Amino acid sequence: MAAAVIPSSWEELPVDLLGQVVKRLPSLADRIRLRAVCRPWRAGAAARQHPRLPPPHPWFALRDGTLLDLNGAPVRCGPILRPGVDFCYLAVDNQAFLVQHDGRCSLMNPLSGLTLPLPKLGPAVRRAIDSSTAYGQSYVSKGHVKVKILSSLVNPTPNPVVATVITDGYSVSATPSKDHDASSISMRKERRMDPLTRISDIAFFHGKPYALTEQEVLHIMKLDGFGLSEPKFSQVFLPCIPHDPKQQEIYHCFEPNQLWIDPKDMPPGYLVLRYLVESDGRLLMVRRWVSFPRRARLRYHDRTSRFEVFEANLATIPGQWMKVESLAGQALFLGLQCSKSVLGSQFAGGVREDCIYFMHRSFDQPFREDRLGHSVDPLADSGVYNMRNGEITPLLPEAVMAELKGKRQFLTWFFPADE
């Protein structure tokens, strides 16, 4: 039997053994540090990219452009926001959606520094702002509330399909393809006196954009070919799943036939937030039930109590929402800016299957104190919901939660790609 060859230095660590080490590092920051040790380690780690390594754990994105890992430690990368240039940004999967003061939009990969301008999107957003009676031009750089991208900057395409919900969820602007200008359309009813309908979320499913309303109507959006002209509502939003009149945004727990109640005896109410997520070939709608105490302002003291998940059955006409009790091994990460489904078993520990990881729902709420002197905690309602037993557990260990609370900023998800 041939004697085993013992490495004379750490630089000679066998590639197979180095690969086993890399596989057990769920943090992308740790993988980068390992590659920076020496040239042989960098080459050995690169050789283990095929088959692909387990995806790194998600990060937290702060509104000032800072990225943090799950231990609350800053991630060293190029600055996302530059004073005097970029006004704001939204975290979108593994990218930053940047909006400048004049409304110009672009995509940026914070790790590589690659930036992709979206010259057609800005004019469409501006037109939607101009047609709104509630928002002025000062809103053009901060009116984006959610962005979805069909292609990725990891393998960039010259003309990605980008859809963004703007003006507090009443309009959608999109760059459909290289052959068409950007479009912008509001969720307005055909009759002039009907109120605007708010969009709860948007998602791409099988390459097509879908929009979900508060009444749980699912629309497929047909945005190609309209350019900057004003398309009719019926030409753009085609309902796949019809309106459910029983669905509301806020539910108050009154007894039947109770016409009046003393304010001090007001029971808690429930706010229902709705998300739309593509998950392993299924289009899912997630209901998040948030309770808030009597005589309390929303966002300050609300707590998530449970979740319900439904799959879009589009095989019937009309389609219907079918309740599901399992995520089929997936884990959902929900946030107001960015939501994503991942396969739990692909991660190197730390991501649980059939669980929903959720952020506190308050959007861009700075750290401050209320009238009673209580601090408003941006992580107050963050946690992990287990679909199998209905339990809610803390999102992170107490020490890490305390570290993130000190950041005093709105947090959302960011999903780095191991390139």
Side-chain angles (χ1 to χ4, degrees):
M1 176 181 289
V5 178
I6 301 176
S8 60
S9 71
W10 284 105
E11 292 185 7
E12 299 178 4
L13 197 67
V15 173
D16 289 343
L17 183 57
L18 186 63
Q20 292 299 318
V21 174
V22 176
K23 285 182 179 180
R24 286 162 173 79
L25 295 178
S27 168
L28 180 57
D30 289 339
R31 296 179 186 180
I32 294 174
R33 294 186 187 102
L34 180 142
R35 295 167 190 159
V37 170
C38 59
R39 184 174 299 176
W41 282 26
R42 182 164 59 252
R48 301 302 304 176
Q49 296 299 308
H50 304 286
R52 189 169 179 84
L53 291 172
H57 283 175
W59 293 342
F60 297 109
L62 279 65
R63 290 292 284 175
D64 65 0
T66 304
L67 296 174
L68 307 172
D69 63 22
L70 290 185
N71 294 318
V75 176
R76 297 185 181 276
C77 63
I80 294 178
L81 299 182
R82 292 165 291 170
V85 179
D86 299 317
F87 183 83
C88 63
Y89 88 104
L90 277 73
V92 188
D93 199 355
N94 63 336
Q95 304 163 49
F97 178 79
L98 303 177
V99 186
Q100 296 187 17
H101 289 282
D102 57 5
R104 286 181 294 166
C105 305
S106 59
L107 294 173
M108 174 188 178
N109 186 323
L111 300 183
S112 66
L114 175 64
T115 301
L116 183 65
L118 302 171
K120 295 182 178 180
L121 190 58
V125 173
R126 186 176 297 275
R127 185 171 67 83
I129 297 293
D130 288 340
S131 64
S132 171
T133 59
Y135 304 97
Q137 279 301 308
S138 62
Y139 206 72
V140 71
S141 59
K142 53 186 176 182
H144 303 264
V145 296
K146 178 160 289 197
V147 178
K148 291 295 175 73
I149 305 168
L150 183 57
S151 61
S152 170
L153 284 186
V154 176
N155 298 297
T157 60
N159 298 281
V161 180
V162 180
T164 173
V165 179
I166 58 176
T167 59
D168 282 348
Y170 290 122
S171 300
V172 173
S173 292
T175 56
S177 68
K178 64 180 181 179
D179 299 322
H180 302 288
D181 287 327
S183 300
S184 183
I185 187 66
S186 297
M187 290 285 290
R188 191 182 300 276
K189 300 298 184 181
E190 292 297 329
R191 295 178 300 180
R192 290 186 57 188
M193 299 305 295
D194 287 348
L196 287 172
T197 300
R198 187 186 298 271
I199 301 168
S200 294
D201 206 349
I202 56 175
F204 285 103
F205 182 59
H206 295 325
K208 299 178 181 178
Y210 288 80
L212 176 70
T213 71
E214 292 176 339
Q215 292 75 36
E216 300 187 357
V217 182
L218 181 67
H219 296 267
I220 184 171
M221 294 185 286
K222 299 286 188 178
L223 295 171
D224 285 348
F226 295 113
L228 295 177
S229 61
E230 182 77 34
K232 292 183 179 180
F233 175 90
S234 58
Q235 293 177 308
V236 178
F237 293 100
L238 306 179
C240 305
I241 297 179
H243 166 74
D244 184 350
K246 297 182 295 183
Q247 299 305 321
Q248 305 175 38
E249 181 183 16
I250 297 178
Y251 295 82
H252 292 286
C253 303
F254 295 106
E255 295 295 330
N257 303 321
Q258 188 173 12
L259 300 179
W260 180 87
I261 188 171
D262 191 314
K264 68 177 183 299
D265 297 325
M266 183 76 70
Y270 288 91
L271 171 74
V272 179
L273 303 176
R274 294 171 174 87
Y275 304 83
L276 196 61
V277 186
E278 189 278 330
S279 178
D280 193 29
R282 301 190 297 177
L283 185 59
L284 302 180
M285 176 186 67
V286 182
R287 287 185 195 153
R288 177 178 175 182
W289 290 80
V290 180
S291 65
F292 54 91
R294 64 178 185 267
R295 305 177 67 183
R297 295 184 61 183
L298 291 176
R299 300 185 179 187
Y300 281 68
H301 307 288
D302 49 8
R303 290 293 181 270
T304 298
S305 59
R306 60 189 173 96
F307 286 85
E308 293 178 295
V309 181
F310 300 82
E311 179 182 355
N313 178 10
L314 303 179
T316 61
I317 300 178
Q320 53 186 322
W321 293 112
M322 307 292 293
K323 191 169 185 178
V324 298
E325 304 297 339
S326 169
L327 298 178
Q330 298 284 313
L332 300 184
F333 288 81
L334 299 184
L336 289 183
Q337 285 188 11
C338 180
S339 298
K340 188 173 182 177
S341 173
V342 301
L343 181 60
S345 61
Q346 285 187 342
F347 286 80
V351 175
R352 289 179 275 168
E353 299 179 2
D354 291 322
C355 286
I356 299 175
Y357 293 74
F358 59 95
M359 286 287 192
H360 184 53
R361 71 176 191 87
S362 180
F363 178 75
D364 199 18
Q365 178 177 304
F367 182 95
R368 58 179 179 269
E369 293 185 350
D370 61 19
R371 290 177 296 177
L372 299 178
H374 298 124
S375 297
V376 179
D377 178 10
L379 276 174
D381 194 33
S382 303
V384 183
Y385 178 83
N386 191 320
M387 287 281 292
R388 298 173 180 175
N389 56 24
E391 293 182 353
I392 295 179
T393 54
L395 178 64
L396 297 168
E398 185 176 349
V400 179
M401 292 283 278
E403 173 70 19
L404 293 178
K405 290 174 185 177
K407 303 301 179 182
R408 303 186 176 186
Q409 289 189 57
F410 170 76
L411 296 170
T412 189
W413 299 111
F414 185 86
F415 296 88
D418 194 355
E419 304 175 32

